[in-house]
Amino acid sequence: MILKLEEVHAYYGKSHVLQGISLQVAAGEVVTLLGRNGAGKTTTLKSIVGVVPPQKGKVLFEGHDMAKLPSHKIARQGVCLVPEHRGIFKLLTVEENLTMAARKDSAWTLNDIYRIFPRLQERRKNGGGQLSGGEQQMLAIARALMTHPKVLMLDEPVEGLAPVIVDEIVAQIRLIRATGMSIILVEQNLQVCTQLADRHYIVEQGRIVYTASNADFMADDHAKDRYLGVNLTA
Ligand SMILES: Nc1ncnc2c1ncn2[C@@H]1O[C@H](COP(=O)(O)OP(=O)(O)OP(=O)(O)O)[C@@H](O)[C@H]1O
Ligand SMILES: [Mg+2]
C-alpha cells in the first residue's frame, strides 16, 4: 500500500467532520471517494496533505505516518492535491506556471506534460487567466505532475465543464494512470468515476460506509441508490 489511512479524525473548530476514515490505495491504483455533498470527501483529501491536520489516527505513506507532519513536508514526500478551485497563476504564462512548479528531481519534463496536454503546448505563451475553464483544470493537473507526485489527488476535476472537455480530461487522466501513478479521485460525475477507477469508497458523515471494486459497484444499484441517490443507468 502506498497510502493508508487508519481511523482518521479531523475537526473544523468544534465540528467533528472526519469520524474515523480508514482507506487504502495500492501503488498504481485509482480509487474514488464518492458521497453526498458535505460528506467529508474534500476534508479527507485536506487531512491527507495536512491542511486540515488529523487530530487522531494515522496517515501512512509508504509505511510512515505523516499525520503530524506540516503540509510542506507532506508535499515533499510526493503527495499532491489539486484542489477544487484550481489555484493557477493567472498573470504568469502557461509555461511559467509549469516551470515554476517543477522540482529539480522531477521525472516529468515539459515534453511529457505537453504529450498528455497538447492544448497546453499550443497555449504555452498565453497567460493563465486567458485559458478556458477546462484548460485551467488541465494546467492545474499538469502543474501537480511537475512536482513529481507519487500520489495524485484530484478534487472534482471536471466540475462545471462541458461534456467534450470532460471526455478530454478523462482521457488525460487515463494517460497519467498509465504511467503507474496512484490516484485518489473525488468526483460527482459517476460516469467519470467508473471510467477511471479500480475501486470506490463511499463516504457518509465522515466515515467510509462502503467499498467495492469498480465492476462490483457498477452492478450494485442498491449501493448507488442508498448512498448516492443516483442510478448510473437511468
Ligand atoms: N472550512 C470549513 N469550516 C467549517 N466547516 C467546514 C469547512 N469546510 C467544510 N466544512 C464542513 O465539513 C463537512 C464536510 O465538508 P467537505 O467539504 O469535506 O464535504 P465534501 O464531501 O467535499 O462535499 P462537496 O461534495 O459539497 O464538495 C460539511 O459539513 C461542511 O459544511
Ligand atoms: Mg468537496
Side-chain angles (χ1 to χ4, degrees), residues 11-13 15-18 33-46 52 84 155-156 159 186-188 203 205-206:
Y11 296 76
Y12 291 110
S15 170
H16 189 182
V17 173
L18 300 188
L33 299 184
L34 307 172
R36 296 171 192 273
N37 289 334
K41 304 178 299 289
T42 297
T43 307
T44 300
L45 302 186
K46 286 183 173 169
V52 178
E84 205 172 341
D155 196 355
E156 304 207 24
E159 197 206 357
V186 170
E187 183 47 60
Q188 306 274 357
V203 185
Q205 295 179 344

